[in-house]
Amino acid sequence: MAEISIRSIRKSFGATSVLKDVSLEIADGEFLTLLGPSGCGKSTLLRILAGLEVQTGGSLAIGDHVVDGVRPKRRDVAMVFQSYALYPHMTVAQNMALPLRMRRLSSWQRLPVVGRFLLGTTAVGAEIEKDVMRTAKALGIGHLLARKPGQLSGGQRQRVAVGRAMVRQPAVFLMDEPLSNLDAKLRVQMRAEIKELHQRLGVTFVYVTHDQSEAMTMSDRVAVMLDGELLQVAPPQEIYADPDDLRVAEFIGSPKINILEATLRSDGLADAAGTSFT
Ligand SMILES: Nc1ncnc2c1ncn2[C@@H]1O[C@H](COP(=O)(O)OP(=O)(O)O)[C@@H](O)[C@H]1O
Ligand SMILES: [Mg+2]
């Protein structure tokens, strides 16, 4: 079980305040998207959830545990980065095995030569290989395991990055604009794949994007973010049809909405652009 509770999180870099009192409850198994323009603080919030960045104020709970000060490795979360962050000198299999090696082997057992002779290394290694193979097959990249990232297409790299996050079966997936490096056609296809992955795994997804059509098509709920504040958190249809805030209305929808100044009369009509409206 991994619901996420974000309570009054603030973050400043020096004098710059990047997150201003962000509070949000994410349900177990929900697909929640943080949507907002570039620079509004999405990645910062995601990195705080992952434990890669420390908040200036506020508190964070994942499942039943307050995780403030808990190291990334000890939080049951996995992150897919925008850049994928694959190690170029390692094969796909080695990249995918890494999170499991970090968790299941001691630092001695991970040593290149010495480790091989320590008790248990081989058995654990075989288990890891099996888990990597199973995940790779589920993502259709089983035939790529011996390749290095440089020998893969953008879409294949993206799958490997997802595979590396999936392999240790985290309770929470954090995805930071995972599709932004793909061409338009592949992006639409991968949207469907990630959505399907969410349904299959049934775990909590926090997905970051600046692309409203991604947010609208994939999410259970969308959290619209601007300048370090959440403006509205609601299902896509509600965000679209019943925005809480003029800034949400302006951000969502294509083409952008028109805004008219109007004067509300005492009889309930509004005067705008030379006519009256109910
Ligand atoms: N390590 C950092 N030091 C200083 N400023 C940062 C740092 N990380 C992010 N910022 C600033 O915080 C703001 C939000 O960044 P970010 O969370 O990456 O936005 P987004 O992911 O929504 O594009 C930006 O103005 C960015 O320049
Ligand atoms: Mg970002």
Side-chain angles (χ1 to χ4, degrees):
M1 297 297 276
E3 58 277 4
I4 299 172
S5 184
I6 300 171
R7 301 165 193 152
S8 301
I9 290 286
R10 284 174 289 113
K11 177 69 182 176
S12 305
F13 293 107
T16 330
S17 166
V18 171
L19 296 176
K20 300 158 191 158
D21 196 9
V22 173
S23 293
L24 178 61
E25 299 287 326
I26 304 171
D28 184 33
E30 181 171 12
F31 195 118
L32 181 117
T33 300
L34 291 172
L35 171 67
S38 176
C40 73
K42 306 181 295 295
S43 295
T44 304
L45 184 57
L46 208 64
R47 291 171 61 80
I48 289 172
L49 282 174
L52 299 171
E53 199 87 66
V54 181
Q55 69 265 35
T56 312
S59 180
L60 205 66
I62 297 176
D64 297 331
H65 307 285
V66 174
V67 294
D68 306 327
V70 175
R71 285 192 295 160
K73 192 173 138 172
R74 303 256 165 256
R75 303 183 184 197
D76 201 3
V77 305
M79 182 141 162
V80 177
F81 295 90
Q82 181 172 5
S83 60
Y84 309 147
L86 299 172
Y87 290 99
H89 61 288
M90 290 183 180
T91 63
V92 167
Q94 288 167 334
N95 266 289
M96 285 178 66
L98 201 64
L100 295 180
R101 290 175 58 81
M102 296 306 284
R103 295 202 139 202
R104 297 188 191 165
L105 294 172
S106 67
S107 48
W108 284 101
Q109 287 176 316
R110 291 200 299 269
L111 289 176
V113 181
V114 181
R116 228 176 293 159
F117 298 102
L118 293 176
L119 204 63
T121 310
T122 321
V124 176
E127 275 297 306
I128 290 176
E129 221 169 278
K130 229 169 63 193
D131 289 348
V132 166
M133 184 48 108
R134 188 168 32 92
T135 305
K137 278 201 179 131
L139 290 170
I141 50 172
H143 60 296
L144 302 174
L145 286 172
R147 293 211 204 158
K148 299 210 168 137
Q151 302 165 312
L152 302 175
S153 71
Q156 290 169 333
R157 261 179 242 168
Q158 204 274 335
R159 282 202 188 89
V160 174
V162 170
R164 186 178 56 183
M166 235 173 95
V167 73
R168 64 183 178 78
Q169 303 181 298
V172 176
F173 268 90
L174 306 175
M175 298 193 160
D176 193 356
E177 314 223 16
L179 306 185
S180 57
N181 292 323
L182 305 178
D183 61 64
K185 192 166 157 232
L186 194 56
R187 213 151 51 210
V188 172
Q189 181 193 334
M190 291 305 289
R191 254 188 229 169
E193 283 193 21
I194 289 180
K195 190 68 204 148
E196 201 231 57
L197 185 71
H198 170 252
Q199 271 151 7
R200 184 149 44 91
L201 301 177
V203 302
T204 313
F205 273 50
V206 184
Y207 187 95
V208 161
T209 184
H210 66 272
D211 179 334
Q212 51 164 306
S213 48
E214 267 178 35
M216 299 308 253
T217 51
M218 297 171 78
S219 326
D220 294 322
R221 283 190 307 158
V222 178
V224 184
M225 200 167 173
L226 193 71
D227 293 335
E229 281 180 273
L230 292 186
L231 300 180
Q232 185 172 4
V233 186
Q237 187 54 34
E238 194 179 322
I239 295 269
Y240 185 81
D242 189 16
D244 271 355
D245 189 295
L246 193 56
R247 293 170 295 174
V248 174
E250 283 190 282
F251 187 68
I252 304 287
S254 179
K256 202 173 157 183
I257 61 162
N258 295 304
I259 297 172
L260 297 179
E261 291 275 350
T263 312
L264 189 62
R265 300 195 324 212
S266 54
D267 61 2
L269 294 179
D271 288 331
T275 6
S276 300
F277 299 88
T278 44

